[in-house]
Short mmCIF file of all heavy atoms in Angstrom, two decimals:
data_model
loop_
_atom_site.label_atom_id
_atom_site.label_comp_id
_atom_site.label_asym_id
_atom_site.label_seq_id
_atom_site.Cartn_x
_atom_site.Cartn_y
_atom_site.Cartn_z
N ASN P 1 4.13 -25.03 12.64
CA ASN P 1 4.34 -25.05 14.09
C ASN P 1 3.13 -25.66 14.80
O ASN P 1 2.43 -24.99 15.57
CB ASN P 1 4.57 -23.61 14.61
CG ASN P 1 5.92 -23.06 14.22
OD1 ASN P 1 6.95 -23.60 14.60
ND2 ASN P 1 5.91 -21.98 13.45
N PRO P 2 2.90 -26.96 14.57
CA PRO P 2 1.72 -27.58 15.19
C PRO P 2 1.80 -27.64 16.72
O PRO P 2 0.77 -27.82 17.37
CB PRO P 2 1.70 -28.98 14.58
CG PRO P 2 3.12 -29.24 14.17
CD PRO P 2 3.68 -27.91 13.76
N ARG P 3 3.00 -27.48 17.26
CA ARG P 3 3.16 -27.54 18.72
C ARG P 3 3.22 -26.14 19.34
O ARG P 3 3.81 -25.96 20.41
CB ARG P 3 4.43 -28.32 19.08
CG ARG P 3 4.38 -29.78 18.64
CD ARG P 3 5.60 -30.54 19.07
NE ARG P 3 5.54 -31.94 18.64
CZ ARG P 3 6.49 -32.85 18.89
NH1 ARG P 3 7.59 -32.48 19.57
NH2 ARG P 3 6.37 -34.08 18.46
N ALA P 4 2.62 -25.20 18.69
CA ALA P 4 2.54 -23.83 19.22
C ALA P 4 1.08 -23.44 19.37
O ALA P 4 0.59 -22.55 18.65
CB ALA P 4 3.28 -22.86 18.31
N PRO P 5 0.34 -24.09 20.30
CA PRO P 5 -1.10 -23.83 20.39
C PRO P 5 -1.44 -22.39 20.78
O PRO P 5 -2.46 -21.85 20.34
CB PRO P 5 -1.58 -24.81 21.47
CG PRO P 5 -0.34 -25.11 22.27
CD PRO P 5 0.79 -25.07 21.31
N ARG P 6 -0.58 -21.75 21.58
CA ARG P 6 -0.89 -20.37 21.97
C ARG P 6 -0.80 -19.43 20.78
O ARG P 6 -1.63 -18.52 20.63
CB ARG P 6 0.04 -19.90 23.09
CG ARG P 6 -0.37 -18.56 23.69
CD ARG P 6 0.40 -18.22 24.95
NE ARG P 6 1.84 -18.07 24.68
CZ ARG P 6 2.72 -17.74 25.61
NH1 ARG P 6 2.32 -17.56 26.88
NH2 ARG P 6 4.00 -17.60 25.31
N LEU P 7 0.19 -19.63 19.91
CA LEU P 7 0.30 -18.82 18.71
C LEU P 7 -0.93 -19.02 17.82
O LEU P 7 -1.50 -18.05 17.31
CB LEU P 7 1.56 -19.18 17.94
CG LEU P 7 1.71 -18.53 16.55
CD1 LEU P 7 1.74 -17.02 16.65
CD2 LEU P 7 2.96 -19.06 15.84
N LEU P 8 -1.34 -20.27 17.64
CA LEU P 8 -2.50 -20.55 16.80
C LEU P 8 -3.76 -19.93 17.40
O LEU P 8 -4.61 -19.39 16.67
CB LEU P 8 -2.67 -22.06 16.63
CG LEU P 8 -1.50 -22.80 15.98
CD1 LEU P 8 -1.79 -24.30 15.92
CD2 LEU P 8 -1.20 -22.25 14.60
N ARG P 9 -3.87 -20.00 18.72
CA ARG P 9 -5.04 -19.41 19.36
C ARG P 9 -5.04 -17.90 19.22
O ARG P 9 -6.09 -17.29 18.97
CB ARG P 9 -5.06 -19.81 20.85
CG ARG P 9 -6.30 -19.31 21.60
CD ARG P 9 -6.35 -19.80 23.03
NE ARG P 9 -5.26 -19.25 23.84
CZ ARG P 9 -4.21 -19.93 24.25
NH1 ARG P 9 -4.07 -21.21 23.94
NH2 ARG P 9 -3.28 -19.35 25.00
N ARG P 10 -3.88 -17.28 19.33
CA ARG P 10 -3.80 -15.82 19.20
C ARG P 10 -4.11 -15.38 17.77
O ARG P 10 -4.71 -14.32 17.56
CB ARG P 10 -2.42 -15.33 19.63
CG ARG P 10 -2.27 -15.25 21.14
CD ARG P 10 -0.95 -14.65 21.57
NE ARG P 10 -0.97 -14.35 23.00
CZ ARG P 10 0.09 -14.02 23.71
NH1 ARG P 10 1.28 -13.94 23.13
NH2 ARG P 10 -0.01 -13.76 25.00
N LEU P 11 -3.70 -16.15 16.79
CA LEU P 11 -4.04 -15.82 15.41
C LEU P 11 -5.55 -15.90 15.19
O LEU P 11 -6.14 -15.04 14.52
CB LEU P 11 -3.30 -16.75 14.45
CG LEU P 11 -1.81 -16.46 14.27
CD1 LEU P 11 -1.12 -17.65 13.61
CD2 LEU P 11 -1.60 -15.20 13.43
N GLU P 12 -6.16 -16.92 15.76
CA GLU P 12 -7.62 -17.06 15.64
C GLU P 12 -8.33 -15.91 16.34
O GLU P 12 -9.29 -15.33 15.80
CB GLU P 12 -8.05 -18.39 16.24
CG GLU P 12 -9.54 -18.68 16.10
CD GLU P 12 -9.92 -20.04 16.65
OE1 GLU P 12 -9.06 -20.70 17.26
OE2 GLU P 12 -11.09 -20.45 16.47
N GLU P 13 -7.87 -15.55 17.54
CA GLU P 13 -8.49 -14.45 18.27
C GLU P 13 -8.28 -13.12 17.56
O GLU P 13 -9.16 -12.26 17.56
CB GLU P 13 -7.89 -14.38 19.68
CG GLU P 13 -8.31 -15.55 20.58
CD GLU P 13 -7.53 -15.57 21.89
OE1 GLU P 13 -6.52 -14.85 21.99
OE2 GLU P 13 -7.93 -16.32 22.79
N ALA P 14 -7.11 -12.95 16.92
CA ALA P 14 -6.83 -11.70 16.21
C ALA P 14 -7.81 -11.51 15.06
O ALA P 14 -8.29 -10.39 14.83
CB ALA P 14 -5.40 -11.70 15.68
N ALA P 15 -8.13 -12.58 14.34
CA ALA P 15 -9.10 -12.47 13.25
C ALA P 15 -10.46 -12.05 13.78
O ALA P 15 -11.13 -11.18 13.21
CB ALA P 15 -9.19 -13.81 12.51
N ARG P 16 -10.87 -12.66 14.88
CA ARG P 16 -12.17 -12.32 15.46
C ARG P 16 -12.19 -10.89 15.99
O ARG P 16 -13.18 -10.15 15.80
CB ARG P 16 -12.49 -13.31 16.59
CG ARG P 16 -13.88 -13.14 17.19
CD ARG P 16 -14.23 -14.26 18.15
NE ARG P 16 -13.37 -14.26 19.33
CZ ARG P 16 -12.44 -15.17 19.58
NH1 ARG P 16 -12.23 -16.15 18.73
NH2 ARG P 16 -11.71 -15.10 20.69
N ARG P 17 -11.11 -10.46 16.59
CA ARG P 17 -11.06 -9.10 17.14
C ARG P 17 -11.00 -8.04 16.04
O ARG P 17 -11.57 -6.96 16.19
CB ARG P 17 -9.85 -8.98 18.08
CG ARG P 17 -10.04 -9.73 19.39
CD ARG P 17 -8.74 -9.90 20.13
NE ARG P 17 -8.95 -10.53 21.42
CZ ARG P 17 -8.01 -11.15 22.13
NH1 ARG P 17 -6.76 -11.19 21.65
NH2 ARG P 17 -8.28 -11.71 23.29
N ALA P 18 -10.31 -8.36 14.96
CA ALA P 18 -10.27 -7.41 13.84
C ALA P 18 -11.68 -7.20 13.28
O ALA P 18 -12.06 -6.07 12.93
CB ALA P 18 -9.32 -7.91 12.75
N ARG P 19 -12.45 -8.28 13.18
CA ARG P 19 -13.84 -8.15 12.71
C ARG P 19 -14.64 -7.27 13.65
O ARG P 19 -15.43 -6.42 13.22
CB ARG P 19 -14.49 -9.53 12.59
CG ARG P 19 -14.00 -10.38 11.45
CD ARG P 19 -14.84 -11.64 11.28
NE ARG P 19 -14.31 -12.51 10.25
CZ ARG P 19 -13.48 -13.53 10.47
NH1 ARG P 19 -13.12 -13.81 11.72
NH2 ARG P 19 -13.02 -14.26 9.47
N ALA P 20 -14.48 -7.50 14.97
CA ALA P 20 -15.25 -6.73 15.95
C ALA P 20 -14.89 -5.26 15.90
O ALA P 20 -15.77 -4.39 15.93
CB ALA P 20 -15.00 -7.30 17.36
N LEU P 21 -13.60 -4.96 15.81
CA LEU P 21 -13.19 -3.56 15.75
C LEU P 21 -13.65 -2.91 14.45
O LEU P 21 -14.10 -1.76 14.45
CB LEU P 21 -11.66 -3.45 15.89
CG LEU P 21 -11.09 -2.02 15.85
CD1 LEU P 21 -11.70 -1.15 16.95
CD2 LEU P 21 -9.57 -2.05 15.98
N GLY P 22 -13.54 -3.63 13.34
CA GLY P 22 -14.01 -3.10 12.07
C GLY P 22 -15.49 -2.77 12.10
O GLY P 22 -15.92 -1.72 11.60
N ALA P 23 -16.29 -3.66 12.71
CA ALA P 23 -17.73 -3.41 12.81
C ALA P 23 -18.01 -2.20 13.69
O ALA P 23 -18.91 -1.40 13.41
CB ALA P 23 -18.43 -4.65 13.37
N ALA P 24 -17.24 -2.04 14.77
CA ALA P 24 -17.44 -0.90 15.66
C ALA P 24 -17.08 0.41 14.95
O ALA P 24 -17.76 1.43 15.13
CB ALA P 24 -16.59 -1.07 16.93
N VAL P 25 -16.02 0.40 14.16
CA VAL P 25 -15.64 1.61 13.41
C VAL P 25 -16.72 1.95 12.38
O VAL P 25 -17.07 3.11 12.18
CB VAL P 25 -14.27 1.42 12.72
CG1 VAL P 25 -13.97 2.58 11.77
CG2 VAL P 25 -13.17 1.30 13.76
N GLU P 26 -17.27 0.93 11.72
CA GLU P 26 -18.36 1.16 10.77
C GLU P 26 -19.55 1.80 11.48
O GLU P 26 -20.22 2.69 10.92
CB GLU P 26 -18.79 -0.18 10.14
CG GLU P 26 -17.74 -0.84 9.27
CD GLU P 26 -17.79 -0.35 7.83
OE1 GLU P 26 -18.44 0.67 7.57
OE2 GLU P 26 -17.16 -1.00 6.98
N ALA P 27 -19.82 1.37 12.72
CA ALA P 27 -20.95 1.94 13.46
C ALA P 27 -20.69 3.41 13.80
O ALA P 27 -21.60 4.24 13.76
CB ALA P 27 -21.18 1.13 14.74
N VAL P 28 -19.45 3.74 14.14
CA VAL P 28 -19.11 5.14 14.40
C VAL P 28 -19.28 5.98 13.14
O VAL P 28 -19.84 7.08 13.17
CB VAL P 28 -17.66 5.26 14.93
CG1 VAL P 28 -17.21 6.72 14.96
CG2 VAL P 28 -17.55 4.66 16.33
N LEU P 29 -18.83 5.44 12.01
CA LEU P 29 -18.99 6.16 10.74
C LEU P 29 -20.47 6.42 10.44
O LEU P 29 -20.85 7.51 10.01
CB LEU P 29 -18.36 5.36 9.60
CG LEU P 29 -16.84 5.44 9.48
CD1 LEU P 29 -16.33 4.38 8.50
CD2 LEU P 29 -16.40 6.82 9.02
N ALA P 30 -21.29 5.40 10.66
CA ALA P 30 -22.72 5.56 10.40
C ALA P 30 -23.31 6.61 11.34
O ALA P 30 -24.15 7.42 10.95
CB ALA P 30 -23.44 4.22 10.58
N ALA P 31 -22.86 6.63 12.60
CA ALA P 31 -23.37 7.60 13.56
C ALA P 31 -22.99 9.02 13.17
O ALA P 31 -23.73 9.97 13.44
CB ALA P 31 -22.84 7.27 14.96
N LEU P 32 -21.84 9.17 12.53
CA LEU P 32 -21.40 10.49 12.08
C LEU P 32 -22.07 10.90 10.77
O LEU P 32 -21.91 12.04 10.32
CB LEU P 32 -19.88 10.50 11.89
CG LEU P 32 -19.04 10.31 13.15
CD1 LEU P 32 -17.57 10.17 12.78
CD2 LEU P 32 -19.24 11.47 14.11
N GLY P 33 -22.80 9.97 10.14
CA GLY P 33 -23.43 10.27 8.86
C GLY P 33 -22.47 10.21 7.70
O GLY P 33 -22.77 10.73 6.61
N ALA P 34 -21.30 9.59 7.89
CA ALA P 34 -20.30 9.50 6.83
C ALA P 34 -20.69 8.42 5.83
O ALA P 34 -21.43 7.48 6.16
CB ALA P 34 -18.93 9.20 7.42
N GLU P 35 -20.17 8.54 4.62
CA GLU P 35 -20.41 7.52 3.61
C GLU P 35 -19.75 6.22 4.03
O GLU P 35 -18.63 6.23 4.57
CB GLU P 35 -19.83 7.97 2.26
CG GLU P 35 -20.56 9.14 1.64
CD GLU P 35 -21.99 8.79 1.25
OE1 GLU P 35 -22.21 7.65 0.81
OE2 GLU P 35 -22.86 9.65 1.39
N PRO P 36 -20.40 5.07 3.81
CA PRO P 36 -19.77 3.80 4.16
C PRO P 36 -18.57 3.52 3.27
O PRO P 36 -18.44 4.07 2.17
CB PRO P 36 -20.89 2.77 3.92
CG PRO P 36 -21.78 3.42 2.90
CD PRO P 36 -21.72 4.90 3.19
N ARG P 37 -17.68 2.68 3.76
CA ARG P 37 -16.49 2.33 2.98
C ARG P 37 -16.90 1.52 1.75
O ARG P 37 -17.91 0.82 1.75
CB ARG P 37 -15.51 1.51 3.82
CG ARG P 37 -16.05 0.13 4.21
CD ARG P 37 -15.03 -0.70 4.96
NE ARG P 37 -15.60 -1.98 5.34
CZ ARG P 37 -15.62 -3.05 4.56
NH1 ARG P 37 -15.09 -2.98 3.34
NH2 ARG P 37 -16.16 -4.19 4.97
N GLU P 38 -16.09 1.59 0.73
CA GLU P 38 -16.33 0.79 -0.46
C GLU P 38 -15.79 -0.62 -0.24
O GLU P 38 -14.69 -0.79 0.30
CB GLU P 38 -15.64 1.42 -1.68
CG GLU P 38 -16.19 2.77 -2.06
CD GLU P 38 -15.51 3.33 -3.29
OE1 GLU P 38 -14.63 2.62 -3.84
OE2 GLU P 38 -15.86 4.45 -3.71
N PRO P 39 -16.55 -1.65 -0.62
CA PRO P 39 -16.05 -3.02 -0.45
C PRO P 39 -14.82 -3.25 -1.30
O PRO P 39 -14.69 -2.70 -2.39
CB PRO P 39 -17.23 -3.89 -0.90
CG PRO P 39 -18.05 -3.00 -1.79
CD PRO P 39 -17.88 -1.60 -1.26
N ARG P 40 -13.92 -4.07 -0.79
CA ARG P 40 -12.71 -4.40 -1.53
C ARG P 40 -12.59 -5.91 -1.63
O ARG P 40 -13.10 -6.63 -0.77
CB ARG P 40 -11.47 -3.81 -0.86
CG ARG P 40 -11.22 -4.35 0.53
CD ARG P 40 -9.85 -3.92 1.06
NE ARG P 40 -9.82 -2.52 1.44
CZ ARG P 40 -8.73 -1.92 1.90
NH1 ARG P 40 -7.61 -2.60 2.04
NH2 ARG P 40 -8.77 -0.65 2.24
#
């Protein structure tokens, strides 16, 4: 779908936002003193 720029932009933004939310959750875990997640 090369003529669907909004879809492509939303997919790109979703990847960036997932990283940001994941990093924020990791920070909450660290603040609680919980063990970090295991890499997969």
Side-chain angles (χ1 to χ4, degrees):
N1 287 299
R3 296 183 180 180
R6 189 169 63 178
L7 172 61
L8 300 178
R9 184 176 66 253
R10 281 185 168 169
L11 285 165
E12 183 177 7
E13 290 171 347
R16 185 171 65 250
R17 288 165 176 160
R19 288 189 184 95
L21 180 58
V25 171
E26 294 273 14
V28 169
L29 281 169
L32 295 173
E35 292 294 324
R37 67 176 178 86
E38 295 182 1
R40 62 170 74 181

